[in-house]
Amino acid sequence: QVQLVESGGGLVQTGGSLGLSCVASGRTISSDAMGWFRQAPGKERELVAAIRWIGTTYYRNSVKGRFTISTDNAKNTVYLQMNSLKPEDTAVYYCNFIRWATMAVIYEYWGQGTQVTVSS
């Protein structure tokens, strides 16, 4: 049974930084790829960053140069370091297992997410 536990969110001012963590269980994060998603109020969930088991990364244009995704396979944990945060980064952030070829989630299961709020 897959479980995902996200943490590290909080309230930060514009220009600040936060580091998110996602501990996975039930499947190894190096099996294909992992992604960080976010969902703002009234908007659809969107993929923010992804990392393949060989280390290849993907970032949506709006976060390139500001966010960094990484993994610790020994801890089965994926991280998202977020710098130079903007109010438009405000959302609930989730992680999930994805297929690198399609960037689609493998499981329709989501953890509780972690709230990131950036004040202007």
Side-chain angles (χ1 to χ4, degrees):
Q1 181 179 359
V2 169
Q3 287 193 325
L4 300 159
V5 180
E6 301 92 347
S7 63
L11 173 63
V12 65
Q13 292 185 334
T14 295
S17 299
L18 283 173
L20 307 184
S21 299
C22 168
V23 180
S25 59
R27 180 186 174 107
T28 176
I29 63 171
S30 59
S31 57
D32 189 347
M34 293 293 295
W36 276 100
F37 298 77
R38 66 187 179 189
Q39 187 167 22
K43 295 187 177 181
E44 292 189 354
R45 188 173 288 156
E46 61 184 18
L47 179 64
V48 175
I51 185 165
R52 199 177 182 190
W53 67 276
I54 55 174
T56 309
T57 56
Y58 158 85
Y59 299 95
R60 69 183 303 110
N61 286 338
S62 60
V63 307
K64 281 182 181 177
R66 301 188 297 123
F67 289 12
T68 303
I69 188 171
S70 63
T71 59
D72 184 334
N73 291 339
K75 296 181 179 180
N76 219 40
T77 299
V78 58
Y79 304 97
L80 186 68
Q81 178 63 39
M82 306 185 295
N83 300 327
S84 302
L85 283 162
K86 305 176 180 180
E88 51 264 43
D89 295 319
T90 295
V92 179
Y93 284 71
Y94 305 86
C95 67
N96 212 331
F97 295 91
I98 64 170
R99 296 201 185 282
W100 183 258
T102 61
M103 295 292 179
V105 297
I106 295 174
Y107 301 99
E108 282 302 326
Y109 158 84
W110 297 92
Q112 84 289 348
T114 186
Q115 175 71 49
V116 171
T117 303
V118 185
S119 63
S120 57

